[in-house]
Amino acid sequence: MDGRLSSGSARDVRAAIARTVLGETCTSSALGAVTLRPHQLIAIDRLRVMLRELRGALLADDVGLGKTFVAAALLREAERPLVVAPASLRPMWRDALATARVAADFASYESLSRGRSPRTPEPDLIVLDEAHHARSPSTRRYRALAFLAIRARVLFLSATPIHNTRRDLASLVALVAGSAAWSMDDAALSRFVLRRARTDIARSASIPVVTPIRWLDVGDDGALLDPLLALPPPVPPRGAGDGGVLLTISLLKQWASSRAALSGALRRRLERGLALCSALEAGTYPSRAELSSWLLGEGAVQLGFAELLAPVSSDSEALLRVLLTHVGAVRALLMLVRADPTIDARRAQRILELRRDHAGEKIVAFSAYADTIHAMFGELRHVAGVCALTGSGARVAGGALSRSEALARFAPSGSRASAPSSSERIDLLLATDLLAEGVNLQDASVVLHLDLPWTGARLEQRVGRSRRMGALHSITSVYAVAPPAESERVLRVESRIARKLGRARAVLGGDLVLLRSNQPSAEAGEAREHARITQQLAGWLDGGRADFHQPLIAAVRSHVSGALIAVRQASASHLLAVAADGCASDSVVLVERLIHHASGEDVGLHRSRVDAAFAAAERWLARREAARRAGVELAASSPARRSTAREAASALDSTPFHCRAKLADRSGRALASAALHTSIGAEWLMASDVRVDSNVGAAPPGESEIVAILLLIAHSDVGSE
């Protein structure tokens, strides 16, 4: 470490700190035909540093803040870039990359799940859009991504990475940091996250304000609760386990959406029951896969040759008696559901009333169930400007449309299409949740939840389709159809959503719009603290001289005493805060507090304070280096990495003394390599017979240096030394 001191102005030191932590800002605002906004430029510079130092970064900005073009700017810098996203987003990415004039290969999560490899087998940068689709380590797609990421840096894009628990986020981080990610605390996980809420970047982008949810009451529908709860348990397919409780919960959810959704679910349940009856009557007991091969759909069921497709069962008669009881109860419940069509008609009437209240505005209504969308369209198809869009396509009163055609008519601005004629204009779009991801619907100023999803993440994604940069409206109005009171009491959907949102906010932060509250709640999170620090440091970049000897040091008058210190260690940059107790910490809360008080005027340096700051920084660097050399990170690591460390140590111990000098350096590198975080894919290969460099993409050990120190001198201490 260079021991020379270089004193300068506080402005010089602040700029040096910002450049050390954020990296040099060399991003042009021009990206093809796109002009990047200031908040996007800040994100690009910060993500570039995170990808270099951590190998992975999650851009978790709120929906609608332009994450796609931030990713495109980073893809432009890669040699072998790869985009992985849901198949439905392929057209969006094709258009975005063409607009940005960036070339990149594309692979869908669905193709990875089917075992197909991308055309770029060894990418150097992978962008995972809607990254929450890769949060389950037990899936084939996750394993494929793990091996693709061994030698690549990974940029995750998702405004809602946590759908259920913080493990969702940890699983993403594990793709670049290995199994240690699952043992990380919130602070450690947040180092991989860059998240800015709309309120953080209001000056950079004009984004609509969202209203609290307003509820549309459709009246009581309590007559179905008791029959639903009294439904006899089903006989599951062979090897499928007891699905009775899950079946009841699923039916309650569909009832809360619409009677049409419940009717469709019961009809499909009846079809499966009849197919299983046919098999049991033939003395066989089929598996789920065998059973599905007999179902032709839409009420048509193949009943013959069951004995050729499934093994014989000695319990078929007893199972058949139970199944017939279940089928009879399902048939009776289905008749009861169909007996009263007025409930769904009232839902459609509320939608019409909402349309009148927002005359001239575009409304997008979301549901988790295609049956609900089809039912609402059936009630409203006589009304001009109504379209239904599900996985099977789009329909208007005049017939079928393609998905792209329907979106162009509904959201010409978001689709970059010409405005349709008045006869082709779509003002009300009824859509399943397939549109809740990656689609620009900023033409819509009203979002209606026809039902409540299981997760707050999905709730946010729906609203985010309207609340985007470039929207022509200043307010996004949000409504929801109130579920039957009895179903809500059983399911407690709202409380589940609130709990899941709360877990996400603990790590990510953000603006949480409560379901039953009139006021949004802003909850701080570790990632939001990091984002605020990044935003404040970006304001320090202008000015300040670049030609100085390290460490550069200055002092400012402040309301608090302490120091901000920029350091580098093993090619990674850190910003430390030294509190009044003289201890250095990289706590984001403490760092942000001192940054907030670091804009005062210059004051003279005091040698004792300079020495104390140096000592605090050197102690912090020494502790971190000692932990790295001792392999402390292995305690939370995988068996594969612990095995690597044991083998390296054992090899050294078993070597004759006169040969150890030759082996020591190689053994030391192996121990250091095992101690570093590496990808989960590399760990899996290390655990197998395949040889792999476990240090691929990781920053090697390096010298430590103190780059800049800014002392904060409390008013009461100025002139006291």
Side-chain angles (χ1 to χ4, degrees):
M1 181 170 59
D2 192 341
R4 292 174 294 173
L5 285 178
S6 179
S7 61
S9 70
R11 183 181 183 187
D12 293 335
V13 174
R14 283 192 288 260
I17 290 174
R19 282 194 294 268
T20 302
V21 176
L22 301 182
E24 295 294 336
T25 57
C26 55
T27 303
S28 168
S29 61
L31 181 67
V34 178
T35 300
L36 297 169
R37 306 287 183 93
H39 75 275
Q40 292 173 303
L41 296 174
I42 293 172
I44 293 166
D45 290 329
R46 183 60 188 146
L47 290 168
R48 188 185 291 117
V49 173
M50 295 169 71
L51 289 170
R52 182 178 68 245
E53 295 180 354
L54 302 173
R55 294 190 58 245
L58 167 65
L59 179 56
D61 280 354
D62 279 351
V63 177
L65 297 182
K67 295 188 291 293
T68 300
F69 288 116
V70 170
L74 293 166
L75 288 166
R76 180 177 55 179
E77 301 172 3
E79 294 182 8
R80 299 179 305 280
L82 172 66
V83 175
V84 181
S88 60
L89 301 189
R90 184 188 297 269
M92 184 277 290
W93 269 102
R94 181 189 60 231
D95 294 345
L97 292 175
T99 301
R101 301 188 188 125
V102 174
D105 190 15
F106 181 93
S108 69
Y109 291 114
E110 293 85 345
S111 66
L112 295 179
S113 296
R114 292 192 294 269
R116 294 180 56 185
S117 299
R119 289 177 297 180
T120 304
E122 291 191 2
D124 59 339
L125 176 63
I126 303 172
V127 171
L128 298 186
D129 193 12
E130 304 296 350
H132 47 271
H133 287 279
R135 69 185 190 273
S136 301
S138 61
T139 61
R140 178 186 281 185
R141 72 177 58 167
Y142 188 93
R143 189 169 184 83
L145 289 169
F147 291 128
L148 283 171
I150 289 177
R151 291 176 174 82
R153 289 171 169 79
V154 183
L155 174 61
F156 307 96
L157 303 180
S158 177
T160 54
I162 298 177
H163 276 228
N164 293 298
T165 70
R166 63 188 300 279
R167 187 175 175 82
D168 294 344
L169 175 58
S171 296
L172 296 180
V173 172
L175 286 171
V176 293
S179 56
W182 287 301
S183 301
M184 290 180 183
D185 58 18
D186 291 350
L189 283 175
S190 70
R191 292 182 61 227
F192 293 83
V193 181
L194 176 61
R195 179 178 178 84
R196 286 86 53 82
R198 292 168 176 82
T199 52
D200 295 332
I201 59 174
R203 297 176 183 174
S204 173
S206 176
I207 299 170
V209 175
V210 65
T211 68
I213 292 179
R214 285 168 279 188
W215 295 86
L216 306 180
D217 187 14
V218 294
D220 184 39
D221 191 22
L224 296 179
L225 180 62
D226 289 340
L228 273 170
L229 296 178
L231 196 65
V235 173
R238 189 183 75 253
D242 181 9
V245 174
L246 291 178
L247 170 64
T248 301
I249 292 175
S250 177
L251 292 177
L252 285 168
K253 275 283 291 176
Q254 285 149 328
W255 172 42
S257 177
S258 68
R259 283 210 169 194
L262 177 57
S263 176
L266 290 171
R267 176 177 50 79
R268 290 185 290 273
R269 167 61 44 182
L270 188 59
E271 290 174 0
R272 284 191 289 272
L274 291 174
L276 190 54
C277 279
S278 173
L280 292 173
E281 286 171 351
T284 63
Y285 189 15
S287 67
R288 186 183 301 277
E290 293 160 348
L291 185 63
S292 63
S293 69
W294 303 346
L295 299 176
L296 304 184
E298 300 301 326
V301 182
Q302 182 174 331
L303 300 180
F305 308 110
E307 61 276 9
L308 300 180
L309 299 173
V312 174
S313 170
S314 59
D315 299 329
S316 57
E317 290 188 9
L319 292 172
L320 183 59
R321 287 194 297 271
V322 175
L323 180 59
L324 288 174
T325 302
H326 176 72
V327 167
V330 170
R331 184 179 282 115
L333 181 56
L334 182 58
M335 293 177 61
L336 182 62
V337 171
R338 290 174 172 173
D340 185 3
T342 62
I343 300 295
D344 285 353
R346 289 205 298 269
R347 293 176 186 271
Q349 184 60 36
R350 294 295 178 271
I351 297 175
L352 280 179
E353 293 169 0
L354 180 64
R355 196 180 188 208
R356 284 195 294 269
D357 292 341
H358 290 271
E361 298 184 61
K362 302 256 185 173
I363 302 173
V364 56
F366 287 106
S367 173
Y369 304 102
D371 287 322
T372 296
I373 298 301
H374 293 316
M376 294 301 101
F377 180 69
E379 296 283 347
L380 300 171
R381 66 185 309 160
H382 63 283
V383 180
V386 178
C387 175
L389 180 57
T390 65
S392 59
R395 293 197 64 83
V396 294
L401 292 177
S402 69
R403 170 190 165 104
S404 59
E405 223 179 341
L407 292 177
R409 291 191 189 183
F410 176 74
S413 174
S415 304
R416 299 184 180 179
S418 301
S421 64
S422 57
S423 61
E424 294 184 333
R425 176 184 167 97
I426 296 173
D427 296 316
L428 172 59
L429 183 63
L430 306 164
T432 51
D433 281 329
L434 66 89
L435 275 189
E437 293 179 342
V439 180
N440 296 327
L441 300 178
Q442 62 255 40
D443 301 57
S445 58
V446 181
V447 175
L448 171 61
H449 303 288
L450 295 173
D451 45 44
L452 294 179
W454 279 113
T455 68
R458 179 64 72 188
L459 205 67
E460 288 188 11
Q461 287 169 343
R462 288 175 174 181
V463 176
R465 296 308 104 206
S466 161
R467 197 185 182 194
R468 309 182 74 78
M469 285 195 309
L472 301 179
H473 54 280
S474 59
I475 297 176
T476 292
S477 302
V478 183
Y479 295 85
V481 176
E486 295 298 327
S487 74
E488 172 59 25
R489 191 154 43 245
V490 174
L491 290 172
R492 299 287 192 271
V493 177
E494 288 187 50
S495 59
R496 288 171 187 253
I497 291 174
R499 283 198 304 273
K500 291 177 181 180
L501 281 171
R503 285 194 287 265
R505 291 300 178 270
V507 181
L508 300 173
D511 298 324
L512 167 60
V513 177
L514 301 176
L515 295 179
R516 293 290 184 182
S517 172
N518 291 325
Q519 296 295 330
S521 168
E523 298 187 16
E526 293 280 356
R528 282 288 299 284
E529 298 282 358
H530 277 297
R532 281 193 284 268
I533 290 172
T534 298
Q535 188 176 17
Q536 290 169 309
L537 291 180
W540 289 4
L541 286 169
D542 294 335
R545 73 185 208 258
D547 55 333
F548 59 86
H549 298 300
Q550 296 176 191
L552 183 64
I553 189 164
V556 296
R557 189 189 304 269
S558 176
H559 293 289
V560 298
S561 291
L564 288 166
I565 308 176
V567 300
R568 289 196 184 100
Q569 186 177 54
S571 300
S573 302
H574 304 276
L575 181 54
L576 309 180
V578 180
D581 61 3
C583 295
S585 169
D586 59 355
S587 161
V588 292
V589 175
L590 184 55
V591 167
E592 188 191 14
R593 177 172 176 265
L594 292 190
I595 288 176
H596 181 69
H597 291 285
S599 57
E601 61 187 35
D602 289 69
V603 296
L605 293 172
H606 297 289
R607 188 71 206 187
S608 61
R609 291 184 181 273
V610 173
D611 292 343
F614 264 103
E618 288 171 339
R619 286 195 299 270
W620 187 90
L621 289 168
R623 285 196 304 270
R624 187 176 176 87
E625 178 64 12
R628 185 193 66 77
R629 289 183 178 277
V632 170
E633 289 177 321
L634 292 173
S637 186
S638 68
R641 271 193 274 177
R642 290 195 295 270
S643 175
T644 299
R646 284 195 300 270
E647 290 174 8
S650 176
L652 193 62
D653 289 340
S654 61
T655 302
F657 282 99
H658 68 281
C659 298
R660 288 190 180 186
K662 296 180 180 179
L663 188 63
D665 183 58
R666 188 174 14 164
S667 180
R669 286 198 302 270
L671 283 166
S673 173
L676 288 170
H677 289 311
T678 190
S679 70
I680 192 69
E683 288 185 14
W684 289 342
L685 286 181
M686 288 165 63
S688 69
D689 294 331
V690 181
R691 294 181 61 84
V692 63
D693 178 6
S694 62
N695 197 25
V696 169
E703 293 297 323
S704 301
E705 60 180 345
I706 298 175
V707 180
I709 299 176
L710 183 64
L711 300 174
L712 281 66
I713 311 298
H715 294 284
S716 58
D717 295 336
V718 174
S720 63
E721 298 184 23

Short mmCIF file of all heavy atoms in Angstrom, two decimals, residues 25 61 214 274 477 687:
data_model
loop_
_atom_site.label_atom_id
_atom_site.label_comp_id
_atom_site.label_asym_id
_atom_site.label_seq_id
_atom_site.Cartn_x
_atom_site.Cartn_y
_atom_site.Cartn_z
N THR A 25 -17.12 6.68 -15.26
CA THR A 25 -18.34 6.80 -16.07
C THR A 25 -17.94 7.11 -17.51
O THR A 25 -17.46 8.18 -17.81
CB THR A 25 -19.24 7.93 -15.54
OG1 THR A 25 -18.47 9.14 -15.55
CG2 THR A 25 -19.70 7.63 -14.15
N ASP A 61 -34.95 -2.67 -10.38
CA ASP A 61 -35.73 -1.44 -10.45
C ASP A 61 -37.21 -1.75 -10.60
O ASP A 61 -37.58 -2.77 -11.20
CB ASP A 61 -35.28 -0.59 -11.65
CG ASP A 61 -34.02 0.18 -11.36
OD1 ASP A 61 -33.56 0.15 -10.20
OD2 ASP A 61 -33.48 0.82 -12.28
N ARG A 214 -58.94 0.37 -5.18
CA ARG A 214 -60.35 0.59 -4.86
C ARG A 214 -61.13 -0.67 -5.25
O ARG A 214 -60.90 -1.24 -6.31
CB ARG A 214 -60.88 1.82 -5.62
CG ARG A 214 -60.40 3.13 -4.99
CD ARG A 214 -60.67 4.32 -5.88
NE ARG A 214 -59.65 4.47 -6.92
CZ ARG A 214 -59.55 5.50 -7.74
NH1 ARG A 214 -60.42 6.49 -7.66
NH2 ARG A 214 -58.60 5.56 -8.65
N LEU A 274 -63.80 -39.34 -14.67
CA LEU A 274 -64.40 -40.35 -15.55
C LEU A 274 -63.32 -41.20 -16.22
O LEU A 274 -63.49 -42.42 -16.39
CB LEU A 274 -65.26 -39.66 -16.61
CG LEU A 274 -66.54 -39.00 -16.09
CD1 LEU A 274 -67.24 -38.23 -17.21
CD2 LEU A 274 -67.48 -40.04 -15.50
N SER A 477 -54.82 4.41 -12.16
CA SER A 477 -55.89 4.06 -11.22
C SER A 477 -56.01 2.55 -11.12
O SER A 477 -56.05 1.86 -12.14
CB SER A 477 -57.22 4.66 -11.69
OG SER A 477 -57.12 6.06 -11.82
N ALA A 687 -17.92 -31.37 -7.65
CA ALA A 687 -18.41 -32.53 -6.89
C ALA A 687 -18.45 -33.79 -7.75
O ALA A 687 -18.58 -34.89 -7.24
CB ALA A 687 -19.79 -32.24 -6.32
#
